[in-house]
Amino acid sequence: HKGTAFKFKDYAPAIFRRLREVFHIDTADYLVALCNTQADGHNALRIMGTPGKSGSLFFFSNDMRFIVKTLPKREALLLREILPQYFQHVKQNPGTYLPRFYGLHRWKPEYGRNVRFVVMNNVFATNLAIHRRFDLKGSTLGRNASASDKAKGYRCILKDNDLMDSGFRLKLGQERKKAFLDQIRSDCHLLMSLKIMDYSLLVGVHMREHGNHTKSGPEDHAIPTMHRPPSGIDHLDGPEDMEIGNPGVYNPHGVEGISDTDENSYVGERYFVGIIDILMLYTRRKKLERIWKTTMEGDGASSQPPAKYAIRFCKFLEGITE
């Protein structure tokens, strides 16, 4: 390769190879998606416009199936610590909504710092436009998108209070609602047992009445490139063109919304759902944060003990699902 020398470390390669097998990820396709230089000379990875609140950087593979996220050392250590329990859980729960971790690595340039990063699934790996996005924790304190965020239009990530104000509901029908909530409870039970909290449910909504275009400002724009995986995926004219999706199994192409009174009646929405940000322990700092926020602003703070967090999270999702 051209460039300065560097060191590369592959953490727990045998376990992650087994995980990729469980997730039906072909190793050759995986490497091509992440490593190949494109025909025009550009790198296979595309960086997300702005880093997350944690300061982590996000990159998308060229086919948009994979996300590469940089991690602080403490989160990389936590992922390695929970790998045995995580591996058993995903084997026993093929429909899990937890992040699908495919690899954990470290890169160190000759005269630079260590950069740790994880490769995982992209919840929104679809060429369908995502017209609404929600990041849901089940808490109320400070859980509103800012005015500047809302000015982004369809690209805005709305939060718990925004969802409640809008009256939006996940319309799955009674049988599929039960399958969805059963899997969420199973996932939360694992996180609770690992003393993990502060995770979110990421929800993307494709609204068929709006077509495959979004409006992110004063002008209409075509689908953002992050919603364009290879051809052949998600070319929908109507729900009959694709399975409606069972929330009890993994649905990378989303789950079709149906009426809670007539399960043969489609509501014109498709949901893309996954739990994110699961590498946060209930540490002493989080305990102090909870005490401070509860004292000053009430009991709606996001930071809660793992058991209480999981119960509140599941109860909130049950309340917004029909």
Side-chain angles (χ1 to χ4, degrees):
H1 72 91
K2 296 180 181 179
T4 60
F6 65 90
K7 293 181 179 179
F8 184 85
K9 185 168 184 177
D10 188 11
Y11 290 103
I15 295 180
F16 280 109
R17 183 171 61 250
R18 290 286 306 281
L19 281 170
R20 291 194 295 271
E21 291 172 359
V22 170
F23 294 140
H24 306 294
I25 299 297
D26 181 79
T27 298
D29 291 342
Y30 175 76
L31 292 174
V32 167
L34 295 174
C35 302
N36 265 22
T37 302
Q38 302 306 303
D40 59 5
H42 286 85
N43 192 285
L45 299 180
R46 289 179 279 178
I47 189 168
M48 185 175 176
T50 55
K53 286 185 178 180
S54 65
S56 294
L57 297 175
F58 292 81
F59 300 84
F60 294 91
S61 63
N62 188 60
D63 61 6
M64 305 314 300
R65 292 174 62 198
F66 307 115
I67 288 178
V68 177
K69 177 185 178 182
T70 61
L71 296 178
K73 184 177 181 178
R74 66 179 184 279
E75 291 188 11
L77 287 172
L78 176 58
L79 178 53
R80 290 163 61 190
E81 289 173 3
I82 68 173
L83 264 182
Q85 297 93 325
Y86 171 83
F87 178 71
Q88 289 302 319
H89 180 81
V90 299
K91 280 184 63 180
Q92 296 166 7
N93 294 266
T96 181
Y97 289 98
L98 295 180
R100 293 174 173 247
F101 294 124
Y102 303 134
L104 177 65
H105 313 282
R106 187 186 73 195
W107 173 79
K108 184 182 184 302
E110 187 174 10
Y111 301 108
R113 294 183 174 183
N114 289 322
V115 178
R116 297 172 179 84
F117 60 94
V118 64
V119 184
M120 55 190 178
N121 66 307
N122 177 11
V123 176
F124 297 158
T126 174
N127 67 355
L128 294 177
I130 303 297
H131 298 108
R132 296 178 103 174
R133 297 171 173 81
F134 296 98
D135 180 294
L136 306 173
K137 292 180 181 288
S139 60
T140 57
L141 186 60
R143 297 296 296 164
N144 297 83
S146 67
S148 60
D149 283 338
K150 289 180 179 178
K152 299 176 183 176
Y154 289 138
R155 298 190 186 209
C156 172
I157 299 180
L158 300 168
K159 299 183 181 178
D160 304 67
N161 292 332
D162 303 310
L163 181 143
M164 299 305 293
D165 292 342
S166 71
F168 173 81
R169 296 293 183 269
L170 284 168
K171 301 176 180 67
L172 299 177
Q174 292 306 308
E175 289 187 13
R176 295 160 82 235
K177 172 182 176 179
K178 182 180 184 302
F180 169 67
L181 293 175
D182 284 348
Q183 186 58 64
I184 289 290
R185 292 187 188 103
S186 178
D187 292 340
C188 287
H189 186 271
L190 172 72
L191 298 177
M192 180 179 66
S193 70
L194 296 171
K195 297 182 170 55
I196 288 172
M197 42 75 69
D198 214 24
Y199 42 88
S200 304
L201 187 77
L202 183 64
V203 179
V205 186
H206 170 72
M207 305 169 77
R208 194 160 285 107
E209 65 180 341
H210 295 311
N212 226 15
H213 291 265
T214 61
K215 190 173 184 180
S216 56
E219 299 179 359
D220 287 319
H221 299 276
I223 311 163
T225 54
M226 70 163 54
H227 300 306
R228 286 198 202 123
S231 60
I233 298 178
D234 293 345
H235 291 289
L236 282 176
D237 294 319
E240 67 277 0
D241 294 339
M242 181 181 290
E243 294 182 5
I244 64 172
N246 181 350
V249 299
Y250 181 52
N251 295 284
H253 304 311
V255 175
E256 194 70 22
I258 60 175
S259 169
D260 62 334
T261 57
D262 181 2
E263 297 198 354
N264 293 314
S265 175
Y266 301 106
V267 298
E269 296 176 346
R270 196 165 189 89
Y271 311 124
F272 299 84
V273 181
I275 295 175
I276 60 172
D277 298 336
I278 70 167
L279 298 177
M280 178 62 72
L281 284 174
Y282 190 57
T283 59
R284 184 178 179 182
R285 177 183 174 184
K286 284 291 180 181
K287 292 177 185 177
L288 292 172
E289 178 186 328
R290 180 201 173 219
I291 293 170
W292 171 257
K293 288 189 175 181
T294 301
T295 302
M296 299 300 294
E297 303 181 51
D299 202 35
S302 174
S303 183
Q304 298 289 338
K308 188 172 182 179
Y309 190 96
I311 292 169
R312 186 184 63 184
F313 184 79
C314 293
K315 185 177 180 180
F316 180 82
L317 296 184
E318 183 175 359
I320 65 165
T321 309
E322 298 177 348

